[in-house]
Amino acid sequence: MNRSLNLQKLQEGEFDLLIIGGGITGTGIALDAQTRGLKTALVEMQDFASGTSSRSTKLIHGGLRYLKKFEFGLVAEVGRERAVVHRSAPHLVHPDKMLLPLLKGGQNGRTLLGIGLKIYDWLAGVTGLDRRRMLNRKETLAVEPLLSNNRVEGAGFYAEYRTDDSRLVISVAKTAAANGAVLANYVKAGEFIYLNDQVRGIKATDVLTGEELLIRAKWVVNAAGPWVDDVRGYDGGDSRPLVRLTKGVHVVVDKSKLPLAHPVYFDSPDGRMIFAIPRGEVVYLGTTDTAFEGDVKNPTITRADAEYILAAANDMFPSAALQLADIESGWAGLRPLIGEAGKPLRELSRKEEIFESPHGLITIAGGKLTGYRKMAEKVVDRVLLRSNLPAKKCQTGHIKLVGGEFENYVEVNEFIEELQSEFGRFADQQECRYLVHNYGREAHAILLEAEKLAMESSEAIATAEAIYAVENEMTESVLDFFERRTGRLNFRIKSIPKVRDGVLRVLADRLKWSEGRFIQENSLLDKALLRVVEWRDK
Ligand code: FAD
């Protein structure tokens, strides 16, 4: 993951496959293709995971909504996939029990939910203690006393997996790179290069320097998420849009304001489903689902979005009485849905589709974080079907992501304990857990580095993380670090004032920033910290 070296490599010779877009779809394809033996490259115009892939609900989930539509095949595929994604990185994709309350007059009846969750577990191969339990009213309120006392009649209590979406993307990218793929962030694909009327590469721009690059490849895949139609536009021809965008917003409150023990998946008053998910010292809530037109790079949270989510939360957890002022941070993401003209947004399919242009440009759109590995397999299969490139069968079903060399979640917890006993005087259980959930086995190296620094422990850990992020994870800016490598901007926001100077010094030093760039990066962080307050005060 050495960017300047990779910029050189991108311009040498011809790749078998070049991918445009470094979200979960693009990095997943890079990992699949490279591990099958294809010489693979990837360019991302912003930072990895800057698009939708850092703005999701952060669940690797089996799609209960498909069950409601009786799409059993899809539930089984996505359900099995949860387990595969968990095995590939047990530190990053971990099991958690989700509570789905049954309400008086609500959408879900007890019998139907019970059968539905049983089928859900069965299709997804969930076994043992992870299997769903149906709780009565008393048991439900014992698990979650904050639920509306006079409306709850019971609940389904079932297994889901939680993740950190941008860390998943970075881990997949690192694993692709460790297997030989050449990836670079801040490289924007522009026009295509053609040979005999077929796409054979791209002209690209290094966004950080303005330098032009020519990257040659036998096949090019467009995995540009909400930008897939822009990239198709560079290829000319059919200009009809493939995707329609909807916006989904999440807001974050301090856990003291909504002290949930488990994630809860509940009905909002207008019948949509909302998640409330505890994570560390905060709880995040979402999502909305509204038509979007505007700046695709920077979708924002409006006051109406926040009020909608808070109204739903207060309806379900009345004693919390959440207010706008309780919101500490949040994010907005865009769903690129395959857009059948005239169909209401809510009814558009979330399933991925693969398209091929007359010039051989392959575009993948739609899909879920959860299904990224299968999506990648399908895209690479398509490339192989259309070419005579020699390649192995898909390998990713048994590949561990970098840092994820654990058999299961029990081993992850044992590793957290080992770190605690080795670094206990220095890092408490919460810090060790945070590091292991972010970096897996690599957490050990970060703690060794932190121990060497003559600083107070939380500052030393953040500084060691910054060193690691620059040396191993192609971190180029302060927001790459606080937003996507560490999630601190949304989840550990209170720690930022304490660690920002140390982190900025490391980044400036290692990335050789001029004084002007240092001032600019400082103000970018200030602006990001102010973002929430700005809309709240409007
Ligand atoms: P993106 O992550 O947007 O990546 C596309 C990338 O292409 C971007 O980084 C962009 O910068 C880059 N790009 C664009 N143009 C160019 C160019 N010209 N040159 C170079 N690079 C370019 N799924 C789940 O499984 N679980 C969930 O809990 C979940 N929750 C969600 C909640 C919300 C609110 C939303 C919106 C989605 C959610 N999803 C969830 C779906 C999931 O997040 C997306 O399917 C997935 O992140 C899409 O990834 P992607 O790589 O296709 O797109």
Side-chain angles (χ1 to χ4, degrees), residues 20-26 43-47 49-53 55-61 187-189 223-227 231 234 248-250 287 333-335 366-370:
I20 300 172
I24 193 62
T25 309
V43 292
E44 163 53 53
M45 70 175 175
Q46 311 175 77
D47 183 25
S50 288
T52 306
S53 298
R55 299 155 185 265
S56 77
T57 309
K58 306 176 198 304
L59 292 172
I60 297 297
H61 61 150
V187 173
K188 182 170 194 254
W227 294 267
V231 172
Y234 308 151
V249 161
H250 292 84
T287 169
L334 300 177
R335 302 177 185 86
K368 304 279 288 174
L369 199 67
T370 308

Side-chain angles (χ1 to χ4, degrees), residues 74-307:
L74 200 54
V75 181
E77 179 180 313
V78 186
R80 265 194 307 274
E81 208 36 38
R82 284 188 315 174
V84 180
V85 178
H86 164 64
R87 274 201 308 277
S88 72
H91 65 293
L92 192 54
V93 179
H94 22 96
D96 203 350
K97 280 291 177 84
M98 175 96 63
L99 200 65
L100 200 157
L102 285 161
L103 304 176
K104 274 182 202 148
Q107 291 184 46
N108 300 307
R110 186 177 183 85
T111 315
L112 203 64
L113 183 68
I115 296 171
L117 287 176
K118 197 165 190 164
I119 298 174
Y120 187 62
D121 276 356
W122 175 66
L123 289 173
V126 176
T127 54
L129 287 177
D130 283 343
R131 282 201 197 113
R132 74 99 173 95
R133 266 192 319 133
M134 294 305 292
L135 309 182
N136 62 28
R137 183 171 183 278
K138 204 170 149 206
E139 288 166 330
T140 306
L141 288 169
V143 172
E144 196 40 82
L146 287 174
L147 284 166
S148 166
N149 196 337
N150 47 22
R151 288 176 60 207
V152 167
E153 291 189 320
F157 200 35
Y158 67 107
E160 284 290 21
Y161 290 89
R162 293 201 289 146
T163 193
D164 178 324
D165 46 9
S166 45
R167 288 274 351 141
L168 185 64
V169 174
I170 302 297
S171 305
V172 173
K174 282 164 72 180
T175 313
N179 281 280
V182 181
L183 296 88
N185 53 3
Y186 297 103
V187 173
K188 182 170 194 254
E191 289 168 40
F192 289 99
I193 306 169
Y194 296 90
L195 183 73
N196 299 330
D197 220 23
Q198 291 294 293
V199 168
R200 284 302 280 268
I202 57 165
K203 292 179 186 164
T205 311
D206 177 347
V207 176
L208 301 181
T209 62
E211 196 190 319
E212 299 289 317
L213 287 81
L214 275 189
I215 311 173
R216 297 184 188 280
K218 296 188 178 87
W219 290 89
V220 179
V221 170
N222 168 12
W227 294 267
V228 286
D229 285 330
D230 294 350
V231 172
R232 283 173 63 242
Y234 308 151
D235 183 33
D238 187 358
S239 57
R240 277 171 302 176
L242 282 180
V243 297
R244 287 162 70 189
L245 302 180
T246 72
K247 185 177 76 167
V249 161
H250 292 84
V251 297
V252 178
V253 299
D254 193 274
K255 204 166 171 187
S256 62
K257 302 282 176 191
L258 188 63
L260 297 179
H262 290 276
V264 183
Y265 188 28
F266 60 94
D267 287 336
S268 67
D270 69 353
R272 290 190 64 256
M273 297 293 288
I274 302 270
F275 289 101
I277 303 183
R279 179 169 155 168
E281 291 161 25
V282 300
V283 171
Y284 64 94
L285 299 140
T287 169
T288 56
D289 193 3
T290 50
F292 179 80
E293 275 171 25
D295 177 4
V296 177
K297 262 192 187 169
N298 299 301
T300 50
I301 304 174
T302 63
R303 193 177 168 126
D305 295 328
E307 282 173 345

